[in-house]
Amino acid sequence: MLSPAIFDLLGAQQQGAGNEIQLTDAMLRLLAAEPFTGLAYEGRSFDCGSKVGFLAANVAFALARSDLAPEFRDVLADLLAGEASGTAA
């Protein structure tokens, strides 16, 4: 979690790598103004800055929920079956 001050820094941040505003650049500027710490954890993470990573995160989230997983597995199976037969949308 970052301080709310990160939003002001992001708003003023120049484009960086990939011609995008980089959170890490704003974090370096925030670090110059106030301390922050990280937390090591064990678990899976997703790169939600990429389209595939964002989709993977949502699929993993749905599959981890007991109220969504059974129905969502059926939907995924139908989508994958359609892709195999060439009828995917």
Side-chain angles (χ1 to χ4, degrees):
M1 294 180 60
L2 297 171
S3 159
I6 195 72
F7 294 107
D8 290 333
L9 294 172
L10 284 169
Q13 186 68 41
Q14 296 294 317
Q15 294 177 339
N19 209 25
E20 297 176 346
I21 294 174
Q22 298 293 317
L23 175 61
T24 51
D25 293 341
M27 289 170 65
L28 287 171
R29 291 177 53 216
L30 179 63
L31 184 57
E34 60 185 60
F36 63 91
T37 59
L39 172 68
Y41 74 98
E42 290 185 25
R44 188 162 185 192
S45 62
F46 298 90
D47 177 5
C48 290
S50 76
K51 294 173 185 175
V52 170
F54 179 75
L55 292 169
N58 281 278
V59 169
F61 177 76
L63 293 175
R65 291 189 44 165
S66 62
D67 62 325
L68 296 175
E71 184 177 358
F72 192 66
R73 285 181 196 281
D74 292 342
V75 169
L76 286 176
D78 289 346
L79 290 170
L80 291 170
E83 180 180 275
S85 67
T87 60

